[in-house]
Amino acid sequence: MRAQGKSNWVLVGVLVVLAALLNACSSANKKGDAGDSSSSSSSGGRYKGKDKDWGPDKEIDMSKVPDAVPRYENRTIAGNKNPYTVLGKTYYLMEDERAYKERGTASWYGYKFNGERTSNGELYDMFAMTGAHKTLPIPSYVRVTNIDNGKSVVVRINDRGPFHDGRIIDLSYAAAQRLGITRMGTGNVEVEIVVPDGDPRAPLRSRKTELTASAKEAGIVSKSEAGVIAQDTKIPEGTYLQIGAFGVEASAKQFANSVKSALNLPVVISATKAPGKLYRVRVGPFNDAQSMQNARDQLQKINILQSHVVYQ
């Protein structure tokens, strides 16, 4: 009887081991669906105990998830360390992101990072409209358009990455699913900054048109990664620089006339609806990044140092 009891315990042990092996195999089969995004969270070594990223077993329809809504948010040091180094490469945040527009490859990240801290300390939610970018200030809002199918979403940048060569943005599962790139893992996209209308925030640092010579010679960062926009870059129709906002129409007109008399630039006044009516003084419109930068340079000469991009 004692020998028989011992055999039963051995049999139970074998069955437990087999069950564990089967479960491990089943779990392994669920992984590897995501775009192997290697966001900052992965490349920075925060999740060394986790395997390759993965997504849902079956595609989840995210069409009802709304776009992120651009709004004014104070920027803190959280997520905005500048410069920072990942995998031996140093990145510099954009000096002025308000004309940013870039085409390249997007990837996405899923369950491996879900519920973990993003670069600014928030919890990553793969079912919300967020993204990771190497050099945009945090938080920022961007419109991401799938070049192949025309689908478009607006996401809030709250993380760093991706650090794969040739990729310009990492998207949440929700954003990637709406763009139609979850199955492939990556997609061809255009990423463009979205500035909340009337946002008075200044750039992270004063804008410069070139990187320092030492940074370029060292090869530690490319022009695109530092936010230096190609000077012939086309920008959306109806793009203006807003240089002031007034509660009194007469004050707005006086300011606009002073700018017109000092510079050879088109100046318009755009009024918001009541209540709380504002008269916003804007320069433009512009057709490309070069003409907009030229206008910024002219404005600085008459001591108008704060201007931001708006679409009208």
Side-chain angles (χ1 to χ4, degrees), residues 27-36 51-55 108 183:
S27 298
N29 288 334
K30 294 178 183 178
K31 299 185 178 184
D33 295 329
D36 190 21
D51 295 327
K52 187 177 179 181
D53 199 2
W54 73 99
W108 62 278
R183 294 184 183 277

Side-chain angles (χ1 to χ4, degrees), residues 173-229:
Y173 173 82
Q177 202 280 331
R178 282 189 51 194
L179 289 176
I181 66 172
T182 50
R183 294 184 183 277
M184 293 294 293
T186 59
N188 300 315
V189 299
E190 180 176 87
V191 182
E192 181 178 11
I193 196 72
V194 178
V195 178
D197 193 20
D199 187 348
R201 179 178 49 215
L204 193 67
R205 295 184 292 174
S206 59
R207 183 178 177 84
K208 297 177 182 178
T209 56
E210 296 292 338
L211 301 176
T212 62
S214 58
K216 288 189 290 184
E217 290 172 4
I220 56 179
V221 62
S222 68
K223 286 186 177 181
S224 62
E225 287 168 338
V228 179
I229 308 303

Side-chain angles (χ1 to χ4, degrees), residues 49-110:
K50 294 187 177 182
D51 295 327
K52 187 177 179 181
D53 199 2
W54 73 99
D57 291 339
K58 296 181 180 179
E59 193 83 352
I60 301 175
D61 181 11
M62 295 282 108
S63 61
K64 302 301 182 184
V65 178
D67 284 358
V69 179
R71 61 186 177 87
Y72 174 80
E73 294 185 71
N74 287 322
R75 285 176 177 159
T76 67
I77 195 171
N80 288 312
K81 183 179 179 182
N82 190 26
Y84 69 95
T85 302
V86 174
L87 298 175
K89 187 172 183 179
T90 300
Y91 298 87
Y92 290 80
L93 303 192
M94 292 187 186
E95 295 172 348
D96 185 349
E97 78 282 9
R98 293 172 295 181
Y100 171 69
K101 188 176 182 180
E102 185 177 10
R103 287 193 172 198
T105 301
S107 50
W108 62 278
Y109 55 129

Side-chain angles (χ1 to χ4, degrees), residues 25-42:
C25 291
S26 174
S27 298
N29 288 334
K30 294 178 183 178
K31 299 185 178 184
D33 295 329
D36 190 21
S37 58
S38 291
S39 71
S40 61
S41 305
S42 175

Side-chain angles (χ1 to χ4, degrees), residues 78-205:
N80 288 312
K81 183 179 179 182
N82 190 26
Y84 69 95
T85 302
V86 174
L87 298 175
K89 187 172 183 179
T90 300
Y91 298 87
Y92 290 80
L93 303 192
M94 292 187 186
E95 295 172 348
D96 185 349
E97 78 282 9
R98 293 172 295 181
Y100 171 69
K101 188 176 182 180
E102 185 177 10
R103 287 193 172 198
T105 301
S107 50
W108 62 278
Y109 55 129
Y111 281 119
K112 176 179 178 179
F113 308 95
N114 199 42
E116 302 287 356
R117 297 286 179 184
T118 63
S119 293
N120 69 343
E122 298 175 355
L123 295 181
Y124 173 57
D125 180 357
M126 62 185 283
F127 301 110
M129 300 298 287
T130 62
H133 194 280
K134 293 187 285 289
T135 57
L136 277 171
I138 290 177
S140 293
Y141 294 87
V142 294
R143 178 174 294 280
V144 185
T145 303
N146 186 332
I147 297 171
D148 297 325
N149 61 20
K151 294 181 178 179
S152 181
V153 297
V154 175
V155 302
R156 179 175 175 271
I157 301 298
N158 67 348
D159 205 2
R160 291 287 170 226
F163 297 108
H164 275 286
D165 290 339
R167 299 186 188 179
I168 62 172
I169 193 168
D170 239 353
L171 299 169
S172 65
Y173 173 82
Q177 202 280 331
R178 282 189 51 194
L179 289 176
I181 66 172
T182 50
R183 294 184 183 277
M184 293 294 293
T186 59
N188 300 315
V189 299
E190 180 176 87
V191 182
E192 181 178 11
I193 196 72
V194 178
V195 178
D197 193 20
D199 187 348
R201 179 178 49 215
L204 193 67
R205 295 184 292 174

